[in-house]
Amino acid sequence: MTATIQTAAEQFALRRRSPLQRVQHLLHGYPAISPLLVLIIAFAVFSALNPRFAQPASLSLLLQQVAVIGALAVGQTLIILTAGIDLSVGAVTILAMMVGAKLAENNGIPGVLAVLVAIGLGVVAGLVNGTLVTRIALPPFIVTLGTLSVFTAIGLLYTSGQSVQADKLPGLLNWTGETFGAGRWRISWGVVIVLLLYVGVGFALANTAWGRHVYAVGDDKEAAHLAGIRVNRVLISVYVVAGAIYGLTAWILIGRAGAASPNAIVDANLESITAVVIGGTSLFGGRGALLGTLLGALIVGAFRSGLSLAGVDDQWRVLAVGLLVITAVAIDQWIRRVKA
């Protein structure tokens, strides 16, 4: 009887909603819809401006270009889901890349070990960030702003600011930049790794207790604690997993750049956050999905490629992405005010 009354009440409330409120509820339940619509519109507009945009060669290049930021955005998504933010993304990746590359060049370690070293350094960096956030109770913004400088300085001191060229690295480290044919497409192995990363982490978020705890902690830490969730342990695990992802991305970056350079991905912090926010993940935590982040990364890449093919100055791309970020956050604020 009670269930029947509740169902009737829900149906009555649904009928009373305006069309705008229904859209609000839809976006609240499916945050990936917004970036999907933006990507479809962008694809249509840029294809109309220059038909070359829709050609397999151009789209293949777009996928290769967004692989690094797309991978970094996976780790950034995990942290933002817990209502945090990571400004040390690029610094951790560069440090992991340069240490692994330098050890391979100077000490002759095999490629597999160099990759494991890079991932291990990412884990250590994530553990440092997570420990400072949980044990000392510092805001994630302040912690990662500080470690951004620390990790950058360590990387520059270790390498003396010197790059390592591809011909001095084991073949495995360059392998992620190699491409293979898929019909008329050319896909790099780095892109394949990124897609597998999205599938694996996405599955963990959607189908494991750890994933549910990540969302619960981001939504309300106090409520999560009262529900028996070990909040600090979840937060540390998120930063550690994100760090491991940054270390893995270092390998993808070497293949994409054709070298290990301390000056690579200078805009990684901003672009990874941009991909996450445009993808519909709430900056306030507890809501979002990796599918949206992938779409957000593709949107950033599409604007870069599409405006370039249209002959538009690159500064207009920066302006367009900035407006998209502001719009995405404004929509998120509106969605968060959803009423049952």
Side-chain angles (χ1 to χ4, degrees):
M1 182 65 178
T2 304
T4 303
I5 294 174
Q6 184 177 1
T7 302
E10 291 174 352
Q11 293 177 349
F12 178 72
L14 182 62
R15 287 195 296 269
R16 291 190 60 188
R17 291 175 189 166
S18 67
L20 192 60
Q21 287 175 323
R22 293 181 182 180
V23 171
Q24 187 182 28
H25 278 75
L26 180 64
L27 295 178
H28 185 272
Y30 303 95
I33 290 179
S34 295
L36 177 60
L37 291 176
V38 172
L39 184 60
I40 292 172
I41 293 171
F43 185 90
V45 171
F46 291 135
S47 298
L49 291 175
N50 190 330
R52 286 175 53 200
F53 177 81
Q55 294 179 354
S58 297
L59 295 178
S60 298
L61 181 59
L62 188 153
L63 289 177
Q64 295 173 39
Q65 289 174 337
V66 303
V68 172
I69 294 303
L72 294 177
V74 175
Q76 189 74 262
T77 300
L78 292 175
I79 292 174
I80 290 179
L81 281 174
T82 63
I85 199 164
D86 193 349
L87 300 180
S88 66
V89 168
V92 173
T93 304
I94 293 298
L95 175 61
M97 176 179 67
M98 296 311 302
V99 171
K102 279 292 185 182
L103 287 175
E105 179 192 30
N106 298 332
N107 301 92
I109 68 172
V112 173
L113 185 56
V115 172
L116 292 176
V117 167
I119 294 174
L121 276 174
V123 169
V124 171
L127 183 60
V128 169
N129 284 339
T131 300
L132 291 173
V133 168
T134 57
R135 303 303 180 188
I136 307 181
L138 295 175
F141 179 88
I142 299 300
V143 168
T144 56
L145 180 62
T147 56
L148 161 65
S149 298
V150 171
F151 295 145
T152 299
I154 293 174
L156 290 173
L157 289 170
Y158 179 76
T159 63
S160 300
Q162 298 178 347
S163 300
V164 181
Q165 299 305 314
D167 58 358
K168 296 181 180 179
L169 296 172
L172 180 65
L173 293 185
N174 297 309
W175 172 75
T176 55
E178 296 179 5
T179 62
F180 62 91
R184 298 173 60 190
W185 296 63
R186 297 297 301 178
I187 307 297
S188 71
W189 289 107
V191 171
V192 174
I193 293 173
V194 172
L195 293 176
L196 291 175
L197 184 64
Y198 271 88
V199 172
V201 178
F203 178 85
L205 282 174
N207 299 283
T208 67
W210 177 77
R212 291 189 290 272
H213 291 173
V214 169
Y215 280 100
V217 168
D219 189 50
D220 191 327
K221 289 184 176 64
E222 291 298 324
H225 176 72
L226 292 174
I229 297 174
R230 296 183 177 181
V231 173
N232 285 348
R233 179 177 293 186
V234 172
L235 287 174
I236 289 179
S237 71
V238 164
Y239 281 92
V240 167
V241 171
I245 292 171
Y246 303 154
L248 180 65
T249 305
W251 181 27
I252 299 171
L253 177 58
I254 291 176
R256 173 60 192 158
S261 171
N263 298 314
I265 55 171
V266 292
D267 295 326
N269 298 334
L270 178 60
E271 291 194 348
S272 66
I273 295 171
T274 298
V276 176
V277 173
I278 291 178
T281 297
S282 174
L283 280 172
F284 303 95
R287 189 179 63 84
L290 278 182
L291 175 59
T293 296
L294 178 59
L295 295 172
L298 290 173
I299 289 170
V300 173
F303 270 78
R304 181 189 296 117
S305 176
L307 291 176
S308 176
L309 288 173
V312 178
D313 190 280
D314 191 59
Q315 298 306 317
W316 287 103
R317 178 192 67 81
V318 177
L319 173 64
V321 172
L323 292 175
L324 275 175
V325 171
I326 294 173
T327 303
V329 175
I331 291 175
D332 175 56
Q333 288 282 61
W334 174 64
I335 293 173
R336 285 174 60 85
R337 293 195 297 268
V338 67
K339 296 181 180 179

